[in-house]
Amino acid sequence: MTLAFIGGTGLTRMDNLQVQDRLQISTQWGAPSAPVVQGELASRPVLFLARHGDPHVLLPHQVNYRANMAALKEAGASAVIAVNAVGGISAHARSGVIVSPDQLIDYSWGRDMTFFDDRSGPVTHVDFSWPFDAALRARLAAALDACGADWVNGGCYGVTQGPRLETAAEIQRMERDGCDIVGMTGMPEAVLARELGLPYAMLSLVVNPAAGKSDTEITMAEIEAVIAAGMGQVCAVLAALVASD
């Protein structure tokens, strides 16, 4: 199995990845956000793609998700782990905690959501009842435990459009809907992976309380501090995951 990692905010590059090549892949849906990096992690071959570009220049709604997923598939990925920086809604989703969600609700709009929009092809629908692969999540759970991570097993990821952060009223609505964390990149990434037959799971680092969940204003300085502290552990978990294969 060749694992592919998609790095989000705070993970444009993996310091523990031994880079061997950078693949410039062109797809029928355009160019991916960045070259697909071929390398070794824990002495095993892996792929890495910076979701927002390298350097980080693409806003969530500007990412060419179809090109990204198609490029990883073409490069030989057999499963995908996506890393996200998210806001915490539920009480257990505190800043610095890693969440491995098992559900999502999509509030985004206007994004290219499918590979099956060619009118000359068959009308295709994929089952998306459980958006994250159970076997891959089980492997992630073992790696998180092995690293002693502070993490939450399961939860609902709410996908918003961005690039602005949410209002307190929007977060209240999402909490009523059952969302535990909020981010901007989980869709259409997850469903595109499903259409390609790629097992897909997430490591979501909570970097701030969502709007209205604290008494202070959300600042980028606070978010960046949590990212700096947490992404090192995320990389360690990914290495442990690869080593267990």
Side-chain angles (χ1 to χ4, degrees):
M1 173 179 284
T2 300
L3 283 172
F5 305 128
I6 300 178
T9 299
L11 193 63
T12 299
R13 301 179 183 181
M14 291 181 64
D15 293 338
N16 55 345
L17 175 65
Q18 295 181 331
V19 176
Q20 297 173 330
D21 201 0
R22 299 180 189 274
L23 306 178
Q24 301 283 352
I25 297 176
S26 177
T27 79
Q28 69 182 89
W29 296 277
S33 299
V36 175
V37 177
Q38 277 185 330
E40 283 193 350
L41 186 64
S43 301
R44 304 292 177 88
V46 298
L47 301 169
F48 178 82
L49 177 63
R51 181 188 292 115
H52 298 281
D54 183 9
H56 184 132
V57 292
L58 296 171
L59 295 169
H61 68 289
Q62 295 173 326
V63 173
N64 189 337
Y65 295 94
R66 292 195 296 186
N68 284 355
M69 301 309 294
L72 289 176
K73 179 80 170 182
E74 183 176 333
S78 53
V80 176
I81 301 291
V83 177
N84 317 82
V86 299
I89 298 176
S90 298
H92 56 263
R94 309 177 312 278
S95 292
V97 168
I98 296 171
V99 179
S100 173
D102 61 354
Q103 272 298 337
L104 64 79
I105 298 176
D106 187 13
Y107 302 93
S108 69
W109 50 270
R111 302 182 182 188
D112 291 321
M113 302 294 293
T114 181
F115 291 112
F116 301 128
D117 57 0
D118 184 351
R119 294 186 181 182
S120 65
V123 175
T124 304
H125 304 279
V126 295
D127 178 30
F128 203 51
S129 303
W130 304 99
F132 304 107
D133 184 79
L136 192 55
R137 288 190 63 250
R139 290 186 57 199
L140 265 180
L144 285 155
D145 285 339
C147 292
D150 185 4
W151 74 288
V152 175
N153 191 353
C156 184
Y157 179 118
V159 188
T160 56
Q161 179 70 1
R164 67 168 178 84
L165 298 179
E166 300 73 34
T167 68
E170 288 170 333
I171 293 300
Q172 289 171 4
R173 173 201 174 192
M174 294 176 73
E175 186 169 26
R176 291 192 298 270
D177 287 349
C179 295
D180 297 285
I181 53 178
V182 55
M184 301 175 188
T185 58
M187 284 288 284
E189 212 172 73
V191 73
L192 292 171
R194 180 63 52 85
E195 289 185 350
L196 291 174
L198 289 172
Y200 178 93
M202 280 185 184
L203 278 181
S204 299
L205 175 66
V206 181
V207 298
N208 62 275
K213 290 296 178 178
S214 70
D215 296 330
T216 59
E217 182 179 335
I218 300 171
T219 68
M220 288 308 300
E222 291 174 320
I223 291 174
E224 289 166 359
V226 177
I227 288 174
M231 283 301 173
Q233 185 169 54
V234 167
C235 289
V237 169
L238 296 179
L241 174 68
V242 172
S244 69
D245 188 9

